[in-house]
Amino acid sequence: MSLLEAVILGVLQGLTEFLPVSSSGHLVLGQALFGVGLPGVAFEVTVHVATLCAVCWVYRGRLAVLFRGACSRDRDCLVYVGLLAVATVPAALAGAGLRGAIEPVFERPVIAAALLLLTGILVWSIRHFSGGATRGRPTLAGAVAIGVAQAIAILPGISRSGSTLAAATAAGVEPRRAAEFSFLLSIPAIAGAAALQAPALVEAVATLGSVPLAAGFLASALSGVLAIRIFLRMLELRVFHRFAWYCWIAGGAYLAAAAAWPALRG
């Protein structure tokens, strides 16, 4: 892998991991259209850890408050951490128990494209849910709903950030607080995915080289921070729903192309 390829793939991973456009969906469609995919498990683990670092950096203050509060047995912090734990369970169960059933979907780009259309609907719905959303954190039932949304987002084409934000605002959580909960919830999800792939990392490093991996890591981390900032800024400006148009155009264009060229159907 060249240095330029590592930087480009790192930037794409960092941006699509957090913006509501589905990084896995883009990977599936990119593979079908151009034969482009991530070059091995080493790079995939590297950029996942980089995006994990991006979340931790942006929310370092909130994480410090939660850590200190949990250590001092502060009730609000303990409840919040507990809600994050509850919301993590559905995706963990789905990833462990349905892996065999989910993997074939990654070979069907038309499904990923169709699910991008659904992501557009979810993102657009946030515009309507956020008007009456005033809670600072979800209820227990809300945390379960957010967790289910994250579990469904294992499917390519469903955005994790978009689906969890839609579920959180539908549960009455104020949009900025909903985004915070969604991004903090991504920490165990990303860490778990990286941990599952980590055993193969050491053997694969020799193949790619440390310099491209380092470049990909830095590019992914920096673009991940930028993506989170854009995400939050668009929420503040009340234009977040415009991401829906991208999802609809991208998904619709691929489905139209697949209708014309059967080879794209997978």
Side-chain angles (χ1 to χ4, degrees), residues 26-45:
H26 276 69
L27 178 58
V28 170
L29 298 185
Q31 286 174 326
L33 286 170
F34 311 113
V36 175
L38 289 180
V41 68
F43 193 83
E44 190 169 350
V45 173

Side-chain angles (χ1 to χ4, degrees), residues 222-256:
L222 293 176
S223 60
V225 170
L226 176 62
I228 295 173
R229 299 294 189 197
I230 293 172
F231 188 105
L232 296 176
R233 183 60 176 161
M234 292 189 74
L235 273 181
E236 288 180 359
L237 296 175
R238 298 180 181 275
V239 293
F240 186 82
H241 61 281
R242 292 180 183 175
F243 280 115
W245 287 107
Y246 173 84
C247 295
W248 290 331
I249 292 171
Y254 189 91
L255 290 175

Side-chain angles (χ1 to χ4, degrees), residues 41-51 194 197 201 205 208 212-218 220:
V41 68
F43 193 83
E44 190 169 350
V45 173
T46 298
V47 294
H48 269 100
V49 173
T51 52
Q197 298 165 322
L201 178 60
V205 168
L208 295 176
L213 286 178
F217 178 93
L218 186 60
S220 186

